[in-house]
């Protein structure tokens, strides 16, 4: 895991005109990426359904796992649609995002709004809003009472986060996104997606009963959601991430230097649509996922920024709090040590 120091690194804003050259998507490439995702997805669903009905479970299980991995890929494509990166036409991006939102059970407008807020506020200690994992500072944590500390510890527990988080986000929060219900477009997006999902599941039930829903749809969706939550966690919860208060915060520096480059094997890059190249994506979100490797190829400096290997990522699960003194993510032990030394923030 590595990151340049603020004194030695290149200002993130200087990369904007460089990255602009990679903004335009290729229509043929976008269609190819969609075809090589959707066709295998439908095929694997059919194989899983047939093998489930035939009680050939040794075929069903791997088919469901691969279906879940493809759901992660489709969600990543939906994510790019929200940024207007798959097609040059915003209308085409919106409609593709809406269709994928039914498959991924994530209403397109709701998802896009939350994600836009995330892009606009990530790393800002004064604007920890929706679309991000709550991260307290060491002083904030130490100023809380026992119950609040216990609640935060539970929230940041990796088993709770990775087991309950995907289910909550996709099966509960996206069904009724109360925090966005003040605007009609988000209500329509959520309810329209819910209705479409109900029609799809009703059709599946009509032809196959509960089996395909319980043993293909639910587990494959959870697998895709789990993978997505895991990658999202690593993107912004690594040791060298940056947080600042509004006066010192920069949207460009936070995008590039507050996001990781999660180095994954090629097959995982394919399933995740190169989402590991997150620092480049955050700085210039209009770049289609299939062009992100071009950026690293042409600009090795970016390939060396905020690298997080898979082994590094396992250690990231121990990081829970932002230490404003050391400017690093730390675990609860570091916070407890500071509390024992009497280094506390004013009581709330």
């Amino acid at each position: 895991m590595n990151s340049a120091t603020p004194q030695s690194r290149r200002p993130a804003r200087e990369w904007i005109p460089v990255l602009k050259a990679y903004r335009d998507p290729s229509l043929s490439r976008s269609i190819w990426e969609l075809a090589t995702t959707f066709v295998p997805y439908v095929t694997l669903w059919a194989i899983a359904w047939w093998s489930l009905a035939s009680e050939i479970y040794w075929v069903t299980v791997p088919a469901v796992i691969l279906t879940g991995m493809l759901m992660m890929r489709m969600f990543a494509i939906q994510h790019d649609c929200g940024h207007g990166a798959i097609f040059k036409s915003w209308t085409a991006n919106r409609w593709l995002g809406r269709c994928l939102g039914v498959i991924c059970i994530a209403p397109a407008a709701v998802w896009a709004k939350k994600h836009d807020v995330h892009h606009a506020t990530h790393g800002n200690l004064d604007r920890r809003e929706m679309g991000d994992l709550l991260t307290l500072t060491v002083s904030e944590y130490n100023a809380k009472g026992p119950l609040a500390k216990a609640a935060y510890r539970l929230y940041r527990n990796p088993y709770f986060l990775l087991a309950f988080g995907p289910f909550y986000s996709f099966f509960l929060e996206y069904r009724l996104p109360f925090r966005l219900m003040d605007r009609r477009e988000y209500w329509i997006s959520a309810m329209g997606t819910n209705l479409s999902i109900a029609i799809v599941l009703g059709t599946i039930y009509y032809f196959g009963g509960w089996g395909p829903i319980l043993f293909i749809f639910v587990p494959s969706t959870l697998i895709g959601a789990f993978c997505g939550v895991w990658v999202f966690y690593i993107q912004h919860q690594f040791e060298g991430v940056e947080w600042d208060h509004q006066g010192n915060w920069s949207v460009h520096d936070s995008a590039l230097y507050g996001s990781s480059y999660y180095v994954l094997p090629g097959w995982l890059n394919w399933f995740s649509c190169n989402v590991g190249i997150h620092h480049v994506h955050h700085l210039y979100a209009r770049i289609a996922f299939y062009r992100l490797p071009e950026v690293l190829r042409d600009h090795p400096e970016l390939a060396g920024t905020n690298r997080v290997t898979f082994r590094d990522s396992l250690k990231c699960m121990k990081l829970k709090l932002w230490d404003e003194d050391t400017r690093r993510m730390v675990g609860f032990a570091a916070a407890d040590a500071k509390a024992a030394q009497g280094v506390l923030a004013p009581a709330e």
Side-chain angles (χ1 to χ4, degrees):
M1 203 181 309
N2 57 66
S3 177
T5 63
Q7 293 76 21
S8 64
R9 70 193 187 189
R10 180 177 179 178
R13 184 184 288 272
E14 293 183 4
W15 283 104
I16 299 298
V18 176
L19 297 179
K20 185 178 180 180
Y22 301 87
R23 181 180 64 181
D24 291 340
S26 162
L27 178 60
S28 59
R29 179 67 183 275
S30 292
I31 292 174
W32 170 255
E33 296 291 347
L34 287 169
T36 55
T37 303
F38 188 71
V39 172
Y41 174 78
V42 173
T43 302
L44 283 165
W45 239 102
I47 292 173
W49 195 334
W50 165 79
S51 61
L52 181 67
S54 304
E55 299 184 0
I56 310 176
Y57 302 129
W58 62 270
V59 174
T60 308
V61 172
V64 169
I65 293 173
L66 288 173
T67 300
M69 297 293 287
L70 284 171
M71 282 202 68
M72 174 177 65
R73 180 172 167 83
M74 282 192 287
F75 184 65
I77 295 175
Q78 180 189 353
H79 157 270
D80 267 20
C81 288
H83 289 296
I86 297 298
F87 300 115
K88 291 183 179 179
S89 165
W90 274 100
T91 300
N93 280 300
R94 280 196 296 269
W95 277 105
L96 176 59
R98 288 166 181 163
C99 293
L100 291 175
V102 176
I103 298 174
C104 301
I105 66 171
V110 174
W111 154 255
K113 174 60 177 178
K114 292 181 63 177
H115 195 61
D116 285 346
V117 172
H118 164 69
H119 269 258
T121 62
H122 167 67
N124 190 328
L125 289 170
D126 298 317
R127 295 189 63 191
R128 283 168 280 184
E129 302 178 17
M130 68 177 73
D132 219 338
L133 183 68
L134 175 62
T135 302
L136 296 179
T137 66
V138 170
S139 58
E140 288 170 340
Y141 172 78
N142 279 334
K144 292 187 177 296
L147 287 179
K149 284 184 176 180
Y152 184 74
R153 281 179 176 267
L154 175 63
Y155 171 74
R156 295 295 300 235
N157 182 284
Y159 301 105
F160 177 83
L161 192 66
L162 295 174
F164 181 70
F167 175 80
Y168 172 78
S169 294
F170 286 85
F171 284 87
L172 299 178
E173 185 180 21
Y174 283 141
R175 306 285 63 80
L176 287 171
F178 290 109
R179 296 177 68 183
L180 291 174
M181 286 305 182
D182 57 327
R183 291 185 56 179
R184 184 168 173 263
E185 63 178 299
Y186 303 125
W187 172 265
I188 292 174
S189 176
M191 295 306 105
T193 302
N194 289 344
L195 177 61
S196 300
I197 293 170
I199 292 172
V200 171
L201 293 182
T203 303
I204 292 173
Y205 176 79
Y206 178 81
F207 287 103
W210 285 108
I213 295 174
L214 294 177
F215 300 112
I216 302 176
F217 168 75
V218 172
S220 64
T221 302
L222 286 174
I223 289 170
F226 169 85
C227 294
V229 169
W230 167 259
V231 173
F232 179 78
Y233 183 94
I234 302 304
Q235 288 166 349
H236 299 295
Q237 296 290 317
F238 59 103
E239 186 179 8
V241 72
E242 293 191 357
W243 289 84
D244 277 299
H245 288 284
Q246 181 67 38
N248 296 318
W249 179 80
S250 160
V251 65
H252 297 101
D253 287 338
S254 180
L256 181 59
Y257 299 113
S259 306
S260 68
Y261 168 31
Y262 194 10
V263 184
L264 297 170
W267 65 275
L268 270 178
N269 281 329
W270 187 86
F271 275 111
S272 65
C273 292
N274 299 313
V275 74
I277 311 175
H278 202 62
H279 59 324
V280 176
H281 162 71
H282 245 261
L283 186 58
Y284 210 107
R286 288 289 302 277
I287 300 175
F289 69 89
Y290 51 78
R291 300 206 65 184
L292 291 173
E294 296 178 39
V295 177
L296 298 189
R297 179 198 65 199
D298 297 342
H299 305 283
E301 180 182 344
L302 291 174
T305 300
N306 289 348
R307 290 174 64 91
V308 176
T309 66
F310 182 74
R311 179 175 293 184
D312 292 331
S313 70
L314 298 178
K315 301 175 185 177
C316 291
M317 298 306 294
K318 299 179 181 179
L319 306 176
K320 315 291 185 181
L321 302 158
W322 172 250
D323 190 328
E324 294 186 87
D325 294 328
T326 63
R327 294 190 58 79
R328 312 293 288 182
M329 287 290 293
V330 298
F332 289 122
D336 293 340
K338 279 199 170 185
Q341 296 168 5
V343 184
L344 299 174
E348 296 179 339

